[in-house]
Amino acid sequence: MDYQFREIEKKWQKFWADNQTFKVDNHSAKPKYYVLDMFPYPSGAGLHVGHPLGYIASDIFSRYKRLKGFNVLHPMGYDSFGLPAEQYAIQTGQHPAITTEANINRYREQLDNLGFSFDWSREVRTSDPGYYKWTQWIFMLLFNSWYNLDTDKAESIESLTEKFGRAGSEGIKAVCDDDTSSFTAEEWTEKSDEEKQVELLKYRLTYLRESTVNWCPALGTVLANDEVKDGFSERGGYPVEQKKMMQWSMRITAYADRLIQGLDTVDWPEPLKEMQRNWIGKSVGALVKFGLKNRPEFIEVFTTRVDTIYGTTFLVLAPEHELVESLTTPDRRTEITNYIDQTKKKSELDRMADTKTVSGAFTGSYALHPVSGEQIPVWIADYVLAGYGTGAVMAVPSGDQRDWLFATKFGLPIVAISDAQVGLDEQADPTKEGKYINSGIINGLDYKAATAKLIEKLEELGAGKAKVNYRLRDAIFGRQRYWGEPVPVYFKDGLPQLIDASELPLVLPEVDKYLPTESGEPPLGRADNWKYRGELEYELSTMPGWAGSSWYWFRYMDARNEGEFASQDAIAYWKDVDLYIGGSEHATGHLLYSRFWNKFLKDLGYVIEEEPFKKLINQGMIQGRSNFVYRLIDAEDKGTNTFVSAGLRSQYKTSAMHVDVNIVENEILDLTKFKAFRPEFENAEFILENGKYICGVEIEKMSKSKFNVVNPDELTERFGADTLRMYEMFLGPLEQSKPWNTNGIEGVFKFLRKFWKLFHDDEFNFRVSDDEPSKAEYKALHKIIKKVEEDIERFSFNTSVSSFMICVNELTDLKCNKRQILQELVIVLQPYAPHITEELWTLLGNQPGTISVANYPAFNAEYLVENEFSYPVSINGKTRLNLNISLGLPQPEVEAIVLANEDILRYMDGKAAKKIIFVKGKIINVVV
C-alpha cells in the first residue's frame, strides 16, 4: 500500500496516548536530560505554523536523547492566566476559566496532531488552584524573608527579628528601603507589634509601597514595561500613563549582582546575556546630597562621575519626583503641570529610548552645590526616571551629551572641567584624561585622585558616599484584574498579614462582573463577603502574569504532589533544565524573574542549582508570506471589483489589497475561492496573465489582519504531520527568522513517499531483504548516521533534512531494500518523522512503541574509507569514460587494467600507448 499518512499518524498518536509511551519516571539508571519549551498562553486563535517551530526542534532533540540512552523529561503545560481571556469575559460575561478551557482543548488537539513526545501526565496550568497554591506559597516565603548582605543570600525574617532583639539595628547589612530606622535592642523590644510590622515591611523580599506604574485605564490594570509599546498597551493598543499607586513589589534588586554573575555560568546566546546585563545596569559611583535654599530637605543624586561635580550647572528631577510639587514656585506651576501631564502619556521605555527630543521645565527653585555652595537651578525633564537611581541627576553639560543638548536649548551654562576637553561649543566631551580645571579642591588632579578626594570630602561634609547602583528596579507584583492568582494576604489595622499556609490555595471568588467596582476597586472587590475568616479584608489585586511562569519547571518534576511544590527526591534527580527553547522576547521579563525565584528558592534550601536553565536557544520567528491582489481604480467610480494580475499592474492605476494566502498556490490565485473570500467580490472580474492571476508577495509578520496566517491543521490534513515537522526544520537555521513559504512543502512530502517506497516493491507490497548490504549501501547509511548525530548535537536541524533526502536518493539508486540498512535508517529518521518510522519499525517485525527506546546506531568510520576511486580516463586529454579502480593498486597494475579495457582500446583506434599519465586518486590520461 502507498504511504497512507493520515491513517498512520492517527494510529500512532492514539497508540502513544493509550500506552503513555513518553511517560517518564523520576528515577532511572540512565542519565537524566530535561528538555523544556517556554510554555504557551492558549489563545482562541490556536496555533499557526510559526508557533510549533521551537516545539518541533525540542521534540527532535528529546527523541534523539532517548535514542542515545537518556531518561528524558519533556513536559508541556499552559501559562493560562492572561488578559485576553479576561477581556473576552468583560465583553461577554463568560467566565475566563471557560474560555481558557476551550482554548487549551484546541491547543492540545493541535499539539497532538503534530506528534510531540510530551509527557502529558505532568501537564500544568498556572490557573489551576492545585498549581497556584504553590505560587501563593512561594509568595509567602518571599514575604517571610529578607536579604542578608553579610551571607549574600535570603534568610527567614525570624533571623532578622532575632538580630534586632539581640543588638538592635546596629550592624545590620540588608537590601531594604532607604528609610529604615536606627534603634537599640531595648527600643525594639518596646515597640508595639504594629510598629515592628511597619519596620519589617521595609526589609521583606515582597512588600507594599507607593510606586510609579504603567497604568492602562482601558484595561483597568498596571502593565509591566515589556507590555507597553510606544505609550500603548501591547494587548489592545490602549493608551498607557504613568501613575503613582500602592503596589506589591519584589526585591529582585537584592539579586542584581548574582543575576549578572550567573550569566557567566550558562550556555545562552551572547546577545541575550548582554540584554540582561544592560537591563540590570550595574554602575559604580557615588550618592551625593544637594541641599535646598532655605529648606531642610535635600535632593539626592547618584552619579558615576563624581569627579565632574564642579561642572554641575543645573539639577534635573523626574517629573514624578516627590519634591517637584513643593519646589514648584507659583509662577512656574502651569508650565510644570502641563509638562507632567504630557509625560504621563509616555512609557518609561519610550522616555529612555527617545534621545533626540529635548524638553523640560524650570521649577523656579534652586539647590546648593554640596562642595562649593553655589546656587543651582532645579528643572524637570522626562529623560530622568523616578525609578532609576534617585530620580534626580546632576547635569554636567560639558561632559554629558544629553545634558549638553538640554543646556544648549535652555541657555544654561556649560563649564569646562578638564584641560583635555575640546570642542565644547559643538558637543560634550566626557573624557577622563587631563587635569581638572574650574574644579575647586581637585584642580590639577587626575581622574583617580580627584574621585578619591571628592568622596572623602563628601563623607566628611555628610553630603555623600561611594555607592553601587543598578538600573534594575524592584519588580511590581500586582494587577488590578480578576483573572490571576489571588494574593494570600489580608489586612489588619491597615497592615498586610499572611493567611495560614494550611488555608492554601486561596481560590478566586465568583464575581458578577469582571470590571472594577463603581468606587474604582479591582474586580475582586465585587465578590460577596470575600473576607478572611469572614472579618478582615483580603488583598484585592491579583498576581501579575509572570508569577506562575517563574517556577513552573520545578512543578513538572513532580506535578501531582499535593504536599510539596516538588519533592526533594525529584529535585535532586532532575536538578535543572538542560535545554530550554523559546523566544528572545522574554529576555528581560520571564528569564530574569525565573532566575530570581530560582536563586531565592536555593537560598532557602528548597532547590539545588543556582541557575534554572543550563542551555538556552532562541528560535527565530517564522514570518508571514503575504499575498496581494491589485484592484483597478476607476477614475470616475473611484473603485471597481476588477483585479489586475501582478505582472500587468504597471499598465493600470491600482491599489494593493491583502488576500488570504490559503487560496493562493505558487502565487496563482484560486479565482473561485477568491470570489467567495468576501461577499462584494462575488462578481469580481480579472485581467489575467496567460490565463492566470498572479499575486504580489511581501514578507511581513504573520497576523490575521494581513490574511497571511497559515493553519498547521490544514497542512497536516493535506501532507501529514511528519511532512510539516521536517519542512519547518528545512526552512532554515533554528535561530534565524525566515519567511513561511508553503510552495516547498510538497518536496518534503515526496521525500517521505520515496522513503516509504524503499520498503516496498512496485505494487507497494512490503519487501525487505535479509541479504548482506553492499559497501555502497553501508557507506550511504553511515554517512547519514554521522551527519544527523553531528547536526542534532549542534541544533542544525535544517541540514539534516537535506542529508536525509540525499541518502534516500542514493539508496533508491542502489535499489537497496536490505534490512540491516533500512532498520538503522528508520531509527535515525525517527526524531524528525516519528509516525512513518513507527509504522515501518513494526513492519520490520519489532514491537510497537519500542523504537522510542531503541539505540541510536553506532557510526563506523571504516565504511566511509574510500577503497575505490572512479577515475576519469582521458585519451590525449579528452575524457572518454570513468573506471572504478582500487586505490591500493600500484601504477603498473592500474596501467594493465586500463589497456585491457575494450572501450579504451576502441577509443585508441589501434594505436599504441606512448605514455600513461597516472595521478593516484585523481586522473588517468593515455597519450597515443
Side-chain angles (χ1 to χ4, degrees):
M1 188 181 293
D2 198 357
Y3 175 38
Q4 302 294 317
F5 62 87
R6 293 187 187 90
E7 291 82 351
I8 289 170
E9 291 180 355
K10 292 302 177 192
K11 168 186 173 181
W12 288 106
Q13 287 163 12
K14 184 177 187 304
F15 177 90
W16 296 331
D18 291 347
N19 292 276
Q20 293 190 298
T21 302
F22 307 112
K23 186 175 181 180
V24 62
D25 290 330
N26 283 350
H27 48 81
S28 172
K30 298 177 180 180
K32 73 95 180 180
Y33 203 91
Y34 188 170
V35 180
L36 182 63
D37 299 283
M38 290 187 186
F39 66 166
Y41 174 77
S43 70
L47 296 169
H48 64 59
V49 291
H51 294 131
L53 180 69
Y55 303 156
I56 295 169
S58 68
D59 195 61
I60 290 170
F61 200 80
S62 297
R63 288 175 177 274
Y64 165 76
K65 287 305 245 185
R66 290 189 195 100
L67 298 175
K68 295 294 284 185
F70 286 84
N71 188 35
V72 178
L73 174 56
H74 186 212
M76 179 50 73
Y78 305 96
D79 193 5
S80 50
F81 275 131
L83 285 175
E86 183 154 14
Q87 286 303 108
Y88 189 73
I90 290 169
Q91 294 161 12
T92 65
Q94 179 171 285
H95 196 289
I98 298 172
T99 310
T100 301
E101 182 68 25
N103 294 347
I104 285 175
N105 291 338
R106 173 79 178 119
Y107 261 59
R108 176 63 189 271
E109 178 187 15
Q110 290 186 292
L111 292 170
D112 284 346
N113 285 342
L114 289 169
F116 294 126
S117 61
F118 295 128
D119 179 354
W120 285 110
S121 71
R122 296 172 184 258
E123 177 194 309
V124 301
R125 303 178 182 189
T126 57
S127 58
D128 177 2
Y131 178 88
Y132 69 68
K133 166 185 179 178
W134 300 107
T135 309
Q136 293 170 335
W137 176 79
I138 294 171
F139 173 92
M140 293 169 72
L141 289 180
L142 284 153
F143 185 83
N144 279 327
S145 299
W146 67 295
Y147 200 90
N148 187 344
L149 288 169
D150 282 330
T151 59
D152 197 24
K153 68 175 188 177
E155 295 180 5
S156 164
I157 203 76
E158 281 75 25
S159 69
L160 180 62
T161 57
E162 285 172 13
K163 289 176 183 290
F164 286 163
R166 192 168 57 250
S169 60
E170 185 178 355
I172 297 291
K173 292 182 180 178
V175 178
C176 55
D177 292 354
D178 292 331
D179 62 342
T180 54
S181 306
S182 295
F183 48 81
T184 64
E186 291 74 22
E187 289 170 333
W188 173 256
T189 304
E190 291 170 2
K191 285 179 184 289
S192 68
D193 185 59
E194 184 177 325
E195 289 172 327
K196 288 178 179 178
Q197 292 307 317
V198 169
E199 192 64 24
L200 289 174
L201 204 56
K202 300 173 183 178
Y203 291 84
R204 296 182 187 276
L205 286 183
T206 187
Y207 61 96
L208 273 171
R209 78 167 177 197
E210 190 175 62
S211 308
T212 300
V213 297
N214 299 312
W215 173 251
C216 181
L219 293 176
T221 191
V222 170
L223 299 176
N225 281 336
D226 56 358
E227 295 173 316
V228 181
K229 304 294 180 189
D230 302 320
F232 295 88
S233 63
E234 189 174 38
R235 180 71 62 181
Y238 301 110
V240 176
E241 63 186 48
Q242 301 294 292
K243 181 178 179 180
K244 284 199 169 183
M245 185 179 290
M246 190 62 73
Q247 282 278 45
W248 284 100
S249 291
M250 287 198 172
R251 282 187 220 278
I252 188 174
T253 49
Y255 289 84
D257 254 339
R258 284 167 65 182
L259 288 168
I260 291 174
Q261 293 162 10
L263 293 171
D264 296 330
T265 69
V266 292
D267 182 7
W268 289 17
E270 195 54 41
L272 190 149
K273 289 202 233 183
E274 199 56 29
M275 286 174 71
Q276 290 212 352
R277 291 188 187 104
N278 291 336
W279 192 263
I280 296 165
K282 182 176 181 178
S283 304
V284 179
L287 208 57
V288 183
K289 296 176 181 177
F290 286 77
L292 293 168
K293 188 178 178 183
N294 302 321
R295 297 174 60 127
E297 303 101 325
F298 55 85
I299 295 171
E300 199 164 45
V301 167
F302 174 79
T303 177
T304 58
R305 292 291 304 275
V306 71
D307 60 298
T308 67
I309 197 167
Y310 282 98
T312 306
T313 59
F314 57 100
L315 295 185
V316 187
L317 305 184
E320 306 88 351
H321 194 285
E322 59 187 8
L323 289 176
V324 170
E325 172 67 25
S326 61
L327 288 175
T328 301
T329 57
D331 59 315
R332 312 299 304 176
R333 190 160 303 281
T334 299
E335 184 182 355
I336 291 288
T337 300
N338 291 340
Y339 189 82
I340 290 172
D341 289 342
Q342 288 299 313
T343 301
K344 286 179 179 179
K345 298 174 183 177
K346 299 181 183 179
S347 74
E348 289 192 354
L349 285 177
D350 293 335
R351 287 161 62 180
M352 290 166 66
D354 186 4
T355 57
K356 296 180 180 178
T357 306
V358 179
S359 66
F362 177 43
T363 64
S365 293
Y366 292 83
L368 301 174
H369 193 286
V371 185
S372 72
E374 293 179 6
Q375 291 190 39
I376 303 169
V378 181
W379 290 66
I380 66 170
D382 62 10
Y383 75 87
V384 182
L385 304 178
Y388 177 55
T390 63
V393 299
M394 59 178 221
V396 183
S398 68
D400 182 275
Q401 185 62 19
R402 200 154 196 176
D403 296 343
W404 185 92
L405 291 169
F406 195 95
T408 301
K409 175 166 182 174
F410 293 107
L412 297 164
I414 299 173
V415 177
I417 52 169
S418 168
D419 59 14
Q421 286 179 317
V422 294
L424 295 182
D425 55 337
E426 297 178 1
Q427 63 182 8
D429 183 352
T431 182
K432 296 179 181 178
E433 304 300 321
K435 306 292 184 181
Y436 288 90
I437 59 174
N438 303 320
S439 295
I441 64 172
I442 61 170
N443 276 337
L445 298 181
D446 63 14
Y447 169 74
K448 188 174 181 181
T451 300
K453 186 164 186 176
L454 279 168
I455 289 176
E456 182 183 359
K457 183 66 175 176
L458 289 168
E459 289 178 347
E460 177 191 319
L461 296 170
K465 62 181 179 180
K467 183 175 174 61
V468 175
N469 200 44
Y470 298 92
R471 182 178 293 111
L472 180 70
R473 291 168 299 152
D474 284 344
I476 302 295
F477 195 77
R479 294 286 184 275
Q480 289 62 51
R481 304 288 291 189
Y482 174 77
W483 192 232
E485 300 93 336
V487 179
V489 163
Y490 64 93
F491 290 88
K492 183 178 180 182
D493 300 323
L495 289 172
Q497 309 283 335
L498 294 178
I499 70 173
D500 194 271
S502 64
E503 297 169 304
L504 293 177
L506 177 60
V507 179
L508 274 173
E510 294 296 322
V511 293
D512 59 342
K513 294 179 184 175
Y514 303 101
L515 292 165
T517 66
E518 286 69 20
S519 58
E521 291 178 325
L524 291 186
R526 293 181 172 277
D528 288 337
N529 198 35
W530 197 57
K531 298 178 184 290
Y532 182 64
R533 297 181 179 174
E535 297 179 8
L536 300 167
E537 299 290 336
Y538 278 123
E539 170 61 61
L540 297 181
S541 293
T542 50
M543 295 187 192
W546 57 268
S549 61
S550 294
W551 70 279
Y552 74 112
W553 62 96
F554 288 120
R555 191 58 177 170
Y556 283 137
M557 296 177 184
D558 198 11
R560 301 294 166 255
N561 192 328
E562 296 183 2
E564 301 170 275
F565 76 106
S567 73
Q568 288 299 295
D569 286 346
I571 293 169
Y573 179 72
W574 294 110
K575 293 184 175 68
D576 53 16
V577 175
D578 295 282
L579 174 65
Y580 198 23
I581 296 182
S584 60
E585 66 273 14
H586 299 293
T588 55
H590 161 64
L591 289 174
L592 270 176
Y593 300 140
S594 296
R595 295 178 64 219
F596 160 39
W597 278 30
N598 192 100
K599 291 173 189 293
F600 168 70
L601 290 170
K602 180 178 184 290
D603 286 351
L604 269 58
Y606 289 103
V607 306
I608 297 166
E609 299 294 334
E610 176 80 4
E611 289 288 335
F613 316 121
K614 277 184 188 171
K615 181 173 181 65
L616 185 144
I617 293 177
N618 291 137
Q619 86 270 13
M621 182 186 296
I622 288 186
Q623 298 161 309
R625 182 181 172 87
S626 299
N627 283 120
F628 295 86
V629 292
Y630 301 94
R631 193 175 192 170
L632 186 66
I633 299 175
D634 187 275
E636 294 180 6
D637 298 338
K638 305 298 182 186
T640 69
N641 281 333
T642 299
F643 295 88
V644 180
S645 188
L648 304 175
R649 71 182 189 276
S650 61
Q651 303 172 31
Y652 300 87
K653 189 175 181 181
T654 63
S655 62
M657 188 180 81
H658 282 92
V659 66
D660 187 352
V661 296
N662 296 292
I663 61 174
V664 179
E665 186 166 352
N666 293 319
E667 317 323 338
I668 300 171
L669 180 67
D670 185 317
L671 301 182
T672 302
K673 290 181 179 178
F674 178 75
K675 289 183 176 183
F677 174 46
R678 288 191 355 207
E680 64 266 34
F681 300 153
E682 183 179 359
N683 298 313
E685 297 180 357
F686 306 90
I687 300 174
L688 307 176
E689 297 176 66
N690 302 318
K692 298 175 181 176
Y693 189 97
I694 309 301
C695 293
V697 178
E698 190 175 319
I699 304 305
E700 302 178 290
K701 184 177 179 181
M702 203 172 275
S703 73
K704 284 183 181 178
S705 64
K706 303 181 191 302
F707 298 102
N708 62 0
V709 171
V710 179
N711 189 323
D713 299 354
E714 295 175 14
L715 293 176
T716 52
E717 172 63 24
R718 188 173 169 192
F719 297 106
D722 286 342
T723 297
L724 180 60
R725 287 167 64 105
M726 295 194 75
Y727 185 61
E728 292 222 6
M729 294 298 97
F730 189 53
L731 285 173
L734 178 62
E735 296 92 338
Q736 292 181 14
S737 292
K738 49 262 181 187
W740 178 263
N741 184 352
T742 310
N743 297 347
I745 195 169
E746 198 160 344
V748 176
F749 179 67
K750 287 177 179 177
F751 153 73
L752 287 173
R753 286 194 68 209
K754 200 168 189 178
F755 174 65
W756 178 263
K757 189 73 172 65
L758 285 174
F759 298 76
H760 298 81
D761 60 21
D762 290 340
E763 283 72 42
F764 286 102
N765 298 306
F766 185 73
R767 290 283 186 271
V768 173
S769 166
D770 289 320
D771 293 347
E772 178 66 21
S774 67
K775 283 184 179 180
E777 290 169 337
Y778 274 125
K779 179 181 176 182
L781 172 65
H782 283 268
K783 276 197 303 183
I784 196 69
I785 290 171
K786 182 174 187 287
K787 175 66 173 164
V788 170
E789 183 169 1
E790 290 174 348
D791 284 350
I792 293 181
E793 292 287 359
R794 65 171 185 263
F795 306 97
S796 181
F797 304 109
N798 58 310
T799 51
S800 281
V801 177
S802 54
S803 297
F804 279 125
M805 292 176 176
I806 292 168
C807 176
V808 169
N809 284 341
E810 289 176 351
L811 293 176
T812 300
D813 291 343
L814 292 167
K815 296 182 171 51
C816 175
N817 70 339
K818 311 291 174 50
R819 181 183 301 275
Q820 291 184 56
I821 301 298
L822 298 184
Q823 180 149 301
E824 301 280 76
L825 181 58
V826 164
I827 297 172
V828 176
L829 182 60
Q830 185 259 353
Y832 289 81
H835 306 89
I836 191 173
T837 49
E838 283 271 14
E839 182 70 11
L840 291 168
W841 180 255
T842 55
L843 288 174
L844 286 164
N846 300 290
Q847 282 293 108
T850 56
I851 190 172
S852 295
V853 290
N855 293 320
Y856 189 85
F859 167 65
N860 187 338
E862 290 181 9
Y863 290 117
L864 270 56
V865 173
E866 298 288 353
N867 296 318
E868 288 186 339
F869 182 72
S870 180
Y871 283 94
V873 182
S874 302
I875 310 296
N876 287 339
K878 187 172 184 179
T879 303
R880 294 297 188 179
L881 52 78
N882 284 56
L883 273 182
N884 284 328
I885 300 174
S886 171
L887 285 165
L889 295 178
Q891 182 163 344
E893 293 185 37
V894 171
E895 290 180 0
I897 291 170
V898 170
L899 295 176
N901 186 278
E902 291 182 5
D903 291 328
I904 291 173
L905 291 174
R906 190 173 69 253
Y907 284 118
M908 290 170 67
D909 197 22
K911 298 173 184 176
K914 292 180 181 179
K915 182 181 179 182
I916 296 180
I917 300 169
F918 170 67
V919 182
K920 189 172 183 178
K922 295 284 178 105
I923 61 163
I924 300 170
N925 184 25
V926 181
V927 181
V928 296

